[in-house]
Amino acid sequence: MSEATAHHTDTPQRRRQINLPYVGLAPAWLLMIFALIIPILIIIAVSFAVRGAYGGFDWGFDLSGYRQILFNEGWTGEMEFTPQYLIIILRTILLATVTTVLCLILAVPVAYWIAGQPGHRKSVLVFLVTLPFWMSMILRVYAWMIILGKDGPLLRFFEFFGAPSGMTLMYNDGATLAAMVYTYIPLMVLPVFASIEKLDGTLIEAAHDLYGNRWTTLRRVILPLTAPGIASGVILVFVPAFGAVLEPTLMGGGKQMMMGSLIQLQFGGGRNWPFGAAIAMILMMFVMLVLIGLALRSARNEGES
Amino acid sequence: MKQQHDVKRYPGLGIISTVFFIYLYAPLGIVVLYSFNANRITSVWTEFSFKWYGSALNNSALMSALKTSLTVAAIATVMATTIALLAALSIIRGKNVRYRKLSETMVNLPLLLPEIVLAVATLILFSLIGLQNGMVKLVIAHSAFCTPFAFLPIRARLQGMPLDFEEAATDLYASRWTVFRRVTLPLIFPGLFSGAMLAFLISMDDFITSNMLSSGGTTTLPVYIFSLIRAGTSPELNAIATMLIVASLVLATVALTVAARGQRTDAT
């Protein structure tokens, strides 16, 4: 149907444009193939390569990159189960999930409230939500280093109320989480707001007329109808949170790593490229699984309605 | 009977939202406040002073990092916006284009992958082909991940625009190039502008990829700031942060005003 209407202007004069679209698409394809597809194919190969003697890697087929995730070679050559990297993977899953959930819990009431404001005030509030996103990410993490750091305002506040003097708020998972929620929350509020704003208010009234209380209305009417916004918010927050580097590096210190900071370490100081590539592959596959899962879910929901 | 209440209103949301906005802005406020502290120890307040701004502006490493960032961001923005514009025109306006959906996915691909994966992947590629020039490496990588950010607003703008004006211009014997320059381009300008602004912002802000690819001489601003943070918080860092916060504020206000104006002209 839309195809047919698109063709109605097909005069001979316009038909000469036929090859143009392909010329227009060529730069995008070239850039993405060179800067994305080929590098990803290479990283797959490198994850199976042999660790180079002085960093880097040598071509070959070896599973040591993947084996190292679970096992450590002892000094007599025996394989010993070491959970340290498994813990990093589990921490990544946990922190990224908790970040996404916290962002969602905070974003829904705020977005709902903004959507209910009168016109001019609404656009100002949306602007205020957007604004921190324009500020450098590293500075927003840095702000949390100051707040939670030693001599920081929060620690002073706790000490004033009798917290032990040796107390520290930095270099733990909570600190990483605080910075992650803070840096990614605008990415959740905006799509949820866009979705709530499109909501048909009469449906809420109808639910109320049918004796649905506020909670039931929220659960059975408002949330299902804002599902598309929630889904894009979840993707926008989960994908970068899962691959976070800055927050765990700065807030978690060297001990509380996530997969992103572990990968960075392996390609930087750690100099074990096959292992880093193997972690990157696992990270990538995890994100793909979540994206496919969400896509299937939304496809099923569309099928139902 | 109790006071008639609006069923769409949920109590307590105003309070939650107020707390949310305080949470959003208090950390930035604290950085700004500390930047005026004369004491070397950031959080111990002695007196109000501008001295750290002076020392930040005289910091040659900072200025060189800023220059690198601006250069990379400017080139990457032009490349990403041009590529995104061409792709969007082809995908939305092109006739008989096959693989439309696939092309769109291709352009948006950088959004679907965690940046660290792309960063190490490009690092390996550049080391394999022996590309040494730090600037070239940064520009290629930045152009790639900025393209979807430029593409999305342009596509949205093109999609929401009726073909009428372009057809009218064609009927009046305007050449294809004239139609594009005099009709299409002005109409999609708000989308093009916000796309370019986003690309610029994303490039300026990037840490992960730049940190992976930067070599001596091509340190970008976030990578330099990272090294400062690693060396310990300093009041000079707070001054740098405050200047950047103000710069972002100005940039965001301009960008969002242009976008809002674009929406208004649509409404009329």
Side-chain angles (χ1 to χ4, degrees):
Chain A
M1 164 62 190
S2 63
E3 283 294 310
T5 48
H7 280 280
H8 82 277
T9 48
D10 238 0
T11 60
Q13 191 204 355
R14 280 170 175 269
R15 213 161 280 149
R16 268 185 286 127
Q17 299 181 11
I18 283 171
N19 335 338
L20 198 67
Y22 296 102
V23 179
L25 283 169
W29 275 87
L30 277 176
L31 180 69
M32 294 306 164
I33 288 173
F34 178 72
L36 243 99
I37 305 291
I38 294 176
I40 284 171
L41 293 177
I42 293 175
I43 207 171
I44 295 173
V46 170
S47 75
F48 292 107
V50 187
R51 184 181 181 179
Y54 307 101
F57 65 95
D58 296 318
W59 290 119
F61 183 81
D62 188 17
L63 287 174
S64 66
Y66 291 94
R67 198 168 50 219
Q68 200 180 339
I69 295 167
L70 290 177
F71 301 100
N72 203 0
E73 200 171 327
W75 53 279
T76 54
E78 82 280 9
M79 285 299 162
E80 209 178 316
F81 174 71
T82 37
Q84 54 168 332
Y85 299 122
L86 192 63
I87 290 172
I88 291 176
I89 293 173
L90 293 177
R91 170 184 296 126
T92 308
I93 295 171
L94 184 75
L95 284 182
T97 309
V98 175
T99 301
T100 312
V101 171
L102 284 179
C103 284
L104 186 62
I105 291 174
L106 200 53
V108 170
V110 171
Y112 193 89
W113 181 75
I114 296 175
Q117 298 302 306
H120 180 65
R121 204 202 250 176
K122 186 154 64 180
S123 37
V124 171
L125 289 167
V126 172
F127 175 73
L128 285 178
V129 174
T130 321
L131 206 50
F133 186 69
W134 289 77
M135 316 246 171
S136 167
M137 169 99 166
I138 192 163
L139 291 181
R140 283 180 286 152
V141 178
Y142 171 69
W144 278 89
M145 291 182 77
I146 289 188
I147 290 173
L148 300 180
K150 68 175 162 60
D151 304 320
L154 209 58
L155 206 55
R156 283 284 159 80
F157 178 78
F158 286 140
E159 275 165 3
F160 183 78
F161 287 100
S165 61
M167 195 170 122
T168 167
L169 300 170
M170 281 290 285
Y171 311 123
N172 54 51
D173 289 343
T176 306
L177 193 63
M180 294 224 294
V181 172
Y182 183 72
T183 42
Y184 301 128
I185 187 107
L187 295 174
M188 184 67 90
V189 178
L190 293 175
V192 172
F193 165 77
S195 215
I196 289 179
E197 219 198 0
K198 271 187 254 157
L199 207 71
D200 185 355
T202 55
L203 290 175
I204 299 173
E205 279 160 18
H208 194 74
D209 291 343
L210 295 168
Y211 300 104
N213 61 27
R214 283 210 175 87
W215 175 242
T216 318
T217 309
L218 177 71
R219 206 163 42 88
R220 304 282 298 269
V221 178
I222 298 174
L223 287 182
L225 286 173
T226 47
I230 289 175
S232 35
V234 166
I235 292 173
L236 286 175
V237 172
F238 186 80
V239 173
F242 203 72
V245 173
L246 267 177
E247 296 91 341
T249 310
L250 292 175
M251 307 298 291
K255 294 266 186 286
Q256 310 290 330
M257 276 195 274
M258 286 175 66
M259 288 167 85
S261 45
L262 178 64
I263 295 168
Q264 200 200 28
L265 187 70
Q266 294 310 318
F267 283 90
R271 300 221 149 257
N272 189 346
W273 286 24
F275 177 53
I279 300 277
M281 287 302 299
I282 290 175
L283 179 61
M284 196 165 74
M285 283 190 295
F286 217 102
V287 169
M288 286 295 140
L289 276 179
V290 171
L291 290 180
I292 291 168
L294 279 172
L296 287 179
R297 220 190 125 89
S298 74
R300 206 180 54 210
N301 285 350
E302 266 165 40
E304 276 171 10
S305 60
Chain B
M1 200 181 121
K2 274 200 300 185
Q3 188 194 345
Q4 183 70 32
H5 59 256
D6 186 350
V7 291
K8 282 177 227 154
R9 227 169 266 287
Y10 283 73
L13 293 193
I15 297 163
I16 297 175
S17 302
T18 311
V19 172
F20 170 77
F21 281 106
I22 294 172
Y23 164 75
L24 215 51
Y25 284 94
L28 299 169
I30 286 173
V31 174
V32 175
L33 183 72
Y34 281 178
S35 73
F36 296 112
N37 185 3
N39 199 323
R40 184 151 266 294
I41 301 161
T42 308
S43 52
V44 180
W45 187 268
T46 42
E47 59 172 336
F48 185 88
S49 157
F50 278 114
K51 71 173 177 187
W52 301 113
Y53 286 87
S55 83
L57 291 172
N58 284 318
N59 180 336
S60 62
L62 172 73
M63 289 303 145
S64 124
L66 178 65
K67 212 177 120 201
T68 307
S69 268
L70 287 173
T71 313
V72 172
I75 302 174
T77 301
V78 171
M79 282 185 62
T81 312
T82 311
I83 290 170
L85 175 64
L86 287 172
L89 283 171
S90 308
I91 289 170
I92 305 296
R93 286 287 193 269
K95 311 234 175 300
N96 307 326
V97 184
R98 269 182 288 174
Y99 310 118
R100 218 182 274 262
K101 196 79 204 156
L102 185 65
S103 297
E104 226 180 301
T105 312
M106 198 72 170
V107 176
N108 286 326
L109 209 53
L111 292 180
L112 298 177
L113 288 170
E115 204 195 329
I116 183 71
V117 176
L118 278 179
V120 294
T122 35
L123 171 75
I124 301 175
L125 173 77
F126 291 153
S127 86
L128 275 179
I129 61 174
L131 185 60
Q132 296 289 332
N133 189 319
M135 198 56 109
V136 175
K137 286 195 279 187
L138 286 177
V139 165
I140 293 173
H142 279 224
S143 303
F145 68 67
C146 288
T147 299
F149 291 96
F151 176 78
L152 292 172
I154 298 173
R155 189 199 61 176
R157 185 77 194 169
L158 267 174
Q159 237 167 7
M161 208 171 81
L163 271 169
D164 304 3
F165 296 108
E166 282 143 307
E167 277 168 1
T170 314
D171 290 346
L172 293 168
Y173 299 104
S175 72
R176 241 158 58 196
W177 172 242
T178 313
V179 173
F180 176 73
R181 201 165 45 87
R182 302 285 297 272
V183 181
T184 316
L185 205 57
L187 280 173
I188 57 172
F189 181 75
L192 196 65
F193 183 77
S194 40
M197 288 295 261
L198 262 177
F200 185 79
L201 170 85
I202 297 291
S203 168
M204 281 299 282
D205 190 29
D206 172 72
F207 169 76
I208 299 177
T209 306
S210 306
N211 188 46
M212 275 284 136
L213 298 179
S214 78
S215 41
T218 47
T219 304
T220 65
L221 196 54
V223 176
Y224 177 71
I225 292 175
F226 181 79
S227 71
L228 278 185
I229 295 177
R230 270 326 212 11
T233 57
S234 79
E236 193 185 303
L237 186 52
N238 292 332
I240 296 170
T242 304
M243 287 190 280
L244 285 175
I245 288 171
V246 172
S248 322
L249 208 76
V250 173
L251 207 66
T253 311
V254 172
L256 297 169
T257 313
V258 170
R261 189 165 301 156
Q263 261 165 12
R264 257 205 303 283
T265 49
D266 285 349
T268 53

